Amino acid sequence: MGTVSLPDTWVYALRLPHDPRAARVARMTVRAALDGHGRHELLDTVELLASELVTNAYRHTAGPCSLRLTALGDGRLRVGVWDADPYVPAPFAGPPGDRTAPAPPGAGGGRGLHLVQEYADAWGAWSLGDGGLPGRRGAGKLLWFETGSPGDRPGPGVSP
C-alpha cells in the first residue's frame, strides 16, 4: 500500500456579504484553513491582516467582498481581499516599499493597512476599474499580502 502525500498548494475562496460580521467569518475561515493544513505558525498574522482588509472592505464599500487564501508551493501564503471600489489606498497605491505613517494615538481607525505593511512579507493591489476594458466597469480592486517567506518575521504578539 502506498502513502498519500497531501498537496502543498491549495486555494480557498469565500464570498462575504456587506455585513458587520464578515470580518469574524473571515477570521474563522482563516483559522479553519490554516489549522487544517498545519500552518499554525502563520495563524495569528494571517487572521489579523485578513480581518483588517475585510473590515476595510465593509467600512468603505456598500457591497460584498471576497476572501481568497492561496498556499504557494514555496511555503508562502497569499491572501487577497476583493471589493467593488476601484480606489486603491496607500501603501498599496504607491511604489514597492512605500510606507504609511501609523495612526496617531487615540485615533478611531487607520491602523489596519499599517499593520499589513509591518507584518506581511509583501503586499500589493490590482485596480480592476474600467481601465478601458470592456465588461470591467466598476469591477473594484484586489488587495493582497503574502507571508510565510523564509526568514519570516514573527507575527503580532509572538516573540522571536
Side-chain angles (χ1 to χ4, degrees):
M1 182 176 274
T3 47
V4 175
S5 70
L6 296 172
D8 57 354
T9 60
W10 42 264
V11 176
Y12 291 93
L14 176 67
R15 178 96 165 172
L16 295 155
H18 187 258
D19 184 296
R21 296 166 288 210
R24 180 173 181 263
V25 172
R27 286 190 304 271
M28 292 184 325
T29 300
V30 164
R31 182 165 292 279
L34 294 181
D35 276 346
H37 288 279
R39 298 300 308 268
H40 307 285
E41 76 282 4
L42 300 178
L43 187 56
D44 291 338
T45 299
V46 174
E47 190 175 34
L48 172 66
L49 301 183
S51 177
E52 291 293 341
L53 293 184
V54 170
T55 297
N56 282 354
Y58 171 74
R59 290 183 67 200
H60 300 291
T61 69
C65 70
S66 293
L67 171 71
R68 185 178 180 100
L69 307 171
T70 305
L72 305 172
D74 59 0
R76 289 176 298 140
L77 180 73
R78 180 176 293 154
V79 178
V81 174
W82 169 88
D83 68 52
D85 185 352
Y87 170 74
V88 176
F92 292 91
D98 197 16
R99 307 293 256 184
T100 59
R111 290 174 184 82
L113 298 181
H114 182 71
L115 290 171
V116 171
Q117 69 187 14
E118 288 300 315
Y119 290 107
D121 295 318
W123 63 86
W126 291 295
S127 178
L128 307 171
D130 61 20
L133 299 174
R136 299 297 263 189
R137 188 173 177 93
K141 69 176 166 298
L142 176 77
L143 301 182
W144 61 268
F145 67 88
E146 289 181 1
T147 190
S149 297
D152 193 12
R153 291 176 295 222
V158 177
S159 15

